[in-house]
């Protein structure tokens, strides 16, 4: 079955897998603007996380007002740098138990948000890379 074309919001220009996707038409910042004033260790977490995500394939980084979203066809992860840690989540097609997930929200049988908190770049390890591989498949809509 051929891949459906992405829908582009006529107001803000963002692209989505679903036509008329609910979203806020807000101007995106640059990644540099989003990381301005962020402590070096928190910046290192974000940069390492983005590097691991990009190993999976093309990633659109969307520095929004309150978060940095990662999108393939759909959003599959997001980060929120704080003063002493980085909060974030990955969207997986299954509930995945891991002590580093602080919360799991299930929206449907194949849509589970897994929230985490990272305090050092060393925590962005092979296990996080594995989360991102699984989440990227969701973002590419290859998880059916």
């Amino acid at each position: 079955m051929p891949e459906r074309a992405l829908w582009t919001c006529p107001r803000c220009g963002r692209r989505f897998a679903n036509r008329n996707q609910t979203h806020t038409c807000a101007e995106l910042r640059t990644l540099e603007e989003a990381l301005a004033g962020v402590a070096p260790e928190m910046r290192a977490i974000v940069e390492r996380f983005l590097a691991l995500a990009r190993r999976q394939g093309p990633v659109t980084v969307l520095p929004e007002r309150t978060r940095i979203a990662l999108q393939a066809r759909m959003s599959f992860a997001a980060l929120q740098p704080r003063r002493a840690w980085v909060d974030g989540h990955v969207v997986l097609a299954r509930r995945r138990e891991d002590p580093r997930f602080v919360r799991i929200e299930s929206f449907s049988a194949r849509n589970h948000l897994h929230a985490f908190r990272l305090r050092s770049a060393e925590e962005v390890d092979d296990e996080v890379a594995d989360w991102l591989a699984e989440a990227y498949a969701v973002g590419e809509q290859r998880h059916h």
Side-chain angles (χ1 to χ4, degrees), residues 6-126:
L6 295 176
W7 172 75
T8 301
C9 174
R11 288 187 55 215
C12 68
R14 282 193 51 194
R15 297 168 47 135
F16 297 94
N18 298 317
R19 184 169 181 73
N20 297 317
Q21 173 73 40
T22 301
H23 68 285
T24 302
C25 289
E27 189 173 327
L28 296 174
R29 303 181 293 173
T30 66
L31 185 58
E32 201 51 47
E33 289 168 336
L35 295 176
V38 171
E41 183 66 23
M42 301 312 106
R43 179 183 284 259
I45 292 169
V46 171
E47 290 170 351
R48 196 160 169 170
F49 191 91
L50 292 176
L52 288 179
R54 288 179 173 126
R55 283 190 198 167
Q56 303 307 315
V59 173
T60 301
V61 178
L62 302 164
E64 300 169 347
R65 188 177 60 79
T66 60
R67 69 183 192 151
I68 300 167
L70 285 70
Q71 179 183 14
R73 286 182 56 79
M74 296 173 30
S75 181
F76 64 90
L79 299 171
Q80 295 175 298
R82 303 293 190 211
R83 183 173 293 130
W85 61 78
V86 175
D87 284 335
H89 71 258
V90 290
V91 179
L92 305 179
R94 64 183 174 110
R95 287 183 69 90
R96 180 174 174 161
E97 299 305 322
D98 186 304
R100 292 195 283 177
F101 292 134
V102 297
R103 185 179 79 256
I104 301 174
E105 293 178 46
S106 296
F107 299 105
S108 70
R110 307 279 291 155
N111 185 353
H112 307 274
L113 183 146
H114 293 68
F116 56 84
R117 176 168 285 175
L118 301 170
R119 296 180 186 275
S120 75
E122 289 72 36
E123 290 182 291
V124 187
D125 57 12
D126 290 343

